[in-house]
Amino acid sequence: MKFGENLQKLRKERGISQEQLAEQLGVTRQSVSKWESSASYPEMDKIVAICNIFHCDMDVLINKDITEERDKKDASKVVKVGFKNIADYIKKTIYLFEHQSFKDIIKMIAQVMIIICVMLCFSIPFMLFKEMVVSLFYTGDNWFSIFFSRFWNFIFNASYGILAIATFLYIFKVKFLDGEEIVIEEVNESLDTIDDDNSQDTVKDNKKKKVIKVKRTEGFSLLDLLSKAITLCLKVFLLFLLIPAIIGVIMLIIAFVLLVILIFRGLFLVGPIFIALGITVFCLIVIELILDFIFNLRFSRRRVIITIISSVVVSAVGLGLSIWYFLNLNVVNDVPNNFKQETQEEVYMMNDELLIQYGWNYIKFVEDESMTNQIRVRIDYYPDYTAAELEKEDNEIFINYDTINSIRINEVTDSIINNLKKNKLYTYDKLGTVSMTITSSKNNIEKLKENYNKQYQ
């Protein structure tokens, strides 16, 4: 925007002529005319005087569009423009239905139904994407999964509903409202009246009448409409894809920070650090490309390509180092010795109806032929994580236990770090469970297994 155009806008908004402005500035009218036509520019003192007269900023007056700058500062005007656009949209729609023939209205309704069907078809991948995100964060029937599922469904359905309505209104505007030019013209309606004094003369009274005309502009092909609809739906899909992408980047950054913290704990995992760094950079570039596609931004392609290649190389190096590290890692399917374990042992008399509920617990049978009339049941558990006790009712022996909700995270974390320093990785799968050992003769053990199978299989 040039200085001359800004000056002309300000002068007309104030309602003063070139002569009046020239008089206030102490110049000729021709000088003001040359300024507005950009044939010449005023001196600095005149520019300062113009800013004082119209109460505007010098930088805005010379370099920027003064109308846009005012719109940015006037939020109420933005709201007014929005309401005006909505009112114009409704007004054009009403005019369109009022001045279309019945045949054209039926044809338009049929095309609208086709558009709705196409939009419904495009909703299928969006719904699949919604279910995929829910399944990724599903951790069982707990409060986190239920809350995340309901929250994500609400956000997704509300956002998709708003975007679907906006998309339909945009397509309707492009296809129908922009395809019909609605013109309101004022035409003169002449009425002849006879003068009483002179019947030979006629006097014409001109009256203005509003006439609404609907002019059909150049057609908008269905192929163009579908291509625009597909592009818009793709942009909406990518916009939804940004949500898990941003969440993933945040989680990767957190993982990278934790890996860096482990360095200060004496555990230097080079491979995972490289992987987290490379994938984080790659995801950021993907987000940048999505934003570029949606909002038509202009990023440096050379920088994007170099960054993608660099992130892939760093991730590949990290993957190689991680594979090498884990190949040299000794995986132990147990719990480290530093965790305190308690044992309870009871001896019971054997009979043919005796039933031991061992179910999903870690069970071990030990044969001892000296125990022909007795069985020894021992349970091993970790009291900091499980409360367990052997109980017997009639001919049924079972474990009464409860999982302790308060887990010592620091103890587990310190144990994992210390063992990784020794190239050992414990699975900790027995930490929250109970191990049962049953000792008796071979015949008694077979009878116990038979009774259990009869009861539960």
Side-chain angles (χ1 to χ4, degrees):
M1 179 61 65
K2 297 178 181 179
F3 164 79
E5 293 174 304
N6 281 334
L7 179 60
Q8 187 177 17
K9 282 185 178 181
L10 291 172
R11 181 179 59 79
K12 290 183 177 180
E13 287 177 0
R14 185 66 65 87
I16 61 176
S17 62
Q18 291 182 346
E19 291 87 351
Q20 292 172 330
L21 179 59
E23 184 178 348
Q24 294 182 36
L25 295 173
V27 296
T28 61
R29 185 196 64 79
Q30 288 78 7
S31 298
V32 175
S33 178
K34 289 180 180 180
W35 296 344
E36 292 183 351
S37 62
S38 299
S40 64
Y41 292 91
E43 298 176 354
M44 183 58 66
D45 60 333
K46 302 301 181 186
I47 295 178
V48 173
I50 292 172
C51 292
N52 292 331
I53 292 172
F54 297 109
H55 304 288
C56 64
D57 186 72
M58 186 182 299
D59 180 61
V60 175
L61 177 65
I62 297 174
N63 300 318
K64 299 180 181 179
D65 187 338
I66 198 163
T67 304
E68 292 180 357
E69 293 300 315
R70 286 179 176 176
D71 290 344
K72 291 178 182 178
K73 296 179 181 179
D74 190 2
S76 62
K77 189 169 183 179
V78 175
V79 176
K80 291 178 182 177
V81 170
F83 279 112
K84 182 179 181 300
N85 291 335
I86 294 174
D88 290 342
Y89 191 98
I90 297 173
K91 187 177 180 180
K92 281 188 175 182
T93 304
I94 295 173
Y95 283 164
L96 182 65
F97 278 93
E98 285 181 347
H99 299 87
Q100 287 269 33
S101 64
F102 181 75
K103 180 180 179 181
D104 290 335
I105 292 176
I106 295 299
K107 182 179 178 182
M108 182 176 63
I109 293 175
Q111 292 176 344
V112 167
M113 297 303 297
I114 294 174
I115 294 172
I116 293 175
C117 291
V118 171
M119 292 182 64
L120 290 175
C121 292
F122 277 107
S123 68
I124 296 175
F126 288 96
M127 297 304 167
L128 294 176
F129 172 71
K130 180 183 71 172
E131 297 300 328
M132 181 186 69
V133 173
V134 172
S135 63
L136 287 175
F137 291 91
Y138 180 77
T139 58
D141 294 330
N142 50 59
W143 68 269
F144 172 78
S145 296
I146 296 173
F147 172 78
F148 179 81
S149 175
R150 291 179 179 177
F151 177 76
W152 173 250
N153 278 312
F154 172 76
I155 294 296
F156 187 92
N157 293 334
S159 302
Y160 183 78
I162 294 172
L163 289 171
I165 294 173
T167 302
F168 173 78
L169 294 177
Y170 172 77
I171 294 175
F172 185 82
K173 176 180 179 298
V174 172
K175 173 63 180 175
F176 301 105
L177 298 185
D178 292 350
E180 304 287 346
E181 183 181 359
I182 300 171
V183 182
I184 301 177
E185 295 182 350
E186 290 186 352
V187 298
N188 292 328
E189 187 181 47
S190 299
L191 297 175
D192 294 340
T193 59
I194 301 175
D195 192 351
D196 294 336
D197 297 333
N198 189 0
S199 60
Q200 300 295 325
D201 297 331
T202 41
V203 179
K204 292 184 178 181
D205 294 333
N206 294 328
K207 294 184 179 180
K208 291 185 177 181
K209 181 181 179 182
K210 289 185 177 180
V211 178
I212 299 175
K213 297 181 179 180
V214 180
K215 296 182 179 180
R216 191 176 298 276
T217 58
E218 185 178 352
F220 190 80
S221 67
L222 183 60
L223 183 61
D224 293 337
L225 179 64
L226 289 177
S227 63
K228 285 197 172 186
I230 292 172
T231 303
L232 185 60
C233 290
L234 182 59
K235 288 185 177 182
V236 174
F237 175 77
L238 292 175
L239 189 62
F240 278 113
L241 192 62
L242 278 178
I243 299 174
I246 293 173
I247 295 175
V249 168
I250 294 173
M251 296 177 65
L252 285 168
I253 293 174
I254 294 173
F256 179 77
V257 172
L258 293 176
L259 290 170
V260 173
I261 293 174
L262 289 178
I263 296 176
F264 298 96
R265 299 286 300 273
L267 185 61
F268 192 52
L269 301 176
V270 184
I273 289 176
F274 277 20
I275 291 176
L277 180 61
I279 296 179
T280 301
V281 174
F282 182 81
C283 290
L284 289 173
I285 291 297
V286 170
I287 292 174
E288 187 176 348
L289 291 175
I290 292 174
L291 292 174
D292 183 16
F293 180 78
I294 295 175
F295 301 107
N296 297 321
L297 304 177
R298 291 293 178 265
F299 298 113
S300 173
R301 294 184 180 179
R302 182 179 179 182
R303 177 182 60 81
V304 170
I305 294 173
I306 293 175
T307 307
I308 290 176
I309 295 174
S310 302
S311 63
V312 171
V313 171
V314 171
S315 300
V317 173
L319 181 61
L321 293 174
S322 299
I323 293 174
W324 176 82
Y325 177 80
F326 285 105
L327 286 176
N328 292 277
L329 200 62
N330 183 21
V331 180
V332 182
N333 188 24
D334 204 347
V335 180
N337 296 328
N338 56 296
F339 286 86
K340 181 182 177 182
Q341 189 177 38
E342 287 190 2
T343 299
Q344 182 184 355
E345 186 175 285
E346 300 288 345
V347 177
Y348 303 97
M349 297 302 296
M350 179 63 188
N351 62 72
D352 292 340
E353 304 297 328
L354 188 64
L355 174 66
I356 300 179
Q357 293 184 4
Y358 49 82
W360 48 267
N361 297 287
Y362 288 92
I363 183 70
K364 181 181 179 181
F365 293 96
V366 178
E367 295 182 5
D368 186 353
E369 297 301 330
S370 63
M371 302 182 67
T372 56
N373 297 323
Q374 295 178 326
I375 61 169
R376 183 187 301 115
V377 181
R378 189 188 75 194
I379 58 173
D380 301 300
Y381 60 95
Y382 296 91
D384 291 334
Y385 303 92
T386 305
E389 184 179 4
L390 276 171
E391 293 188 6
K392 183 176 183 297
E393 291 183 2
D394 298 331
N395 287 324
E396 186 174 352
I397 300 172
F398 59 91
I399 301 174
N400 184 11
Y401 77 97
D402 189 17
T403 302
I404 298 176
N405 294 325
S406 58
I407 298 176
R408 300 178 180 178
I409 298 178
N410 290 336
E411 184 180 6
V412 177
T413 304
D414 292 339
S415 176
I416 293 174
I417 294 174
N418 292 329
N419 288 307
L420 284 176
K421 292 178 183 178
K422 302 174 184 178
N423 286 337
K424 287 185 178 181
L425 178 63
Y426 287 86
T427 58
Y428 299 88
D429 56 341
K430 297 181 181 179
L431 195 60
T433 59
V434 180
S435 299
M436 176 183 287
T437 303
I438 300 174
T439 304
S440 188
S441 64
K442 182 177 180 180
N443 291 333
N444 290 341
I445 291 175
E446 294 296 331
K447 186 61 178 177
L448 291 173
K449 290 181 178 179
E450 181 182 348
N451 292 341
Y452 180 83
N453 293 331
K454 286 180 180 180
Q455 182 71 20
Y456 296 105
Q457 294 184 1

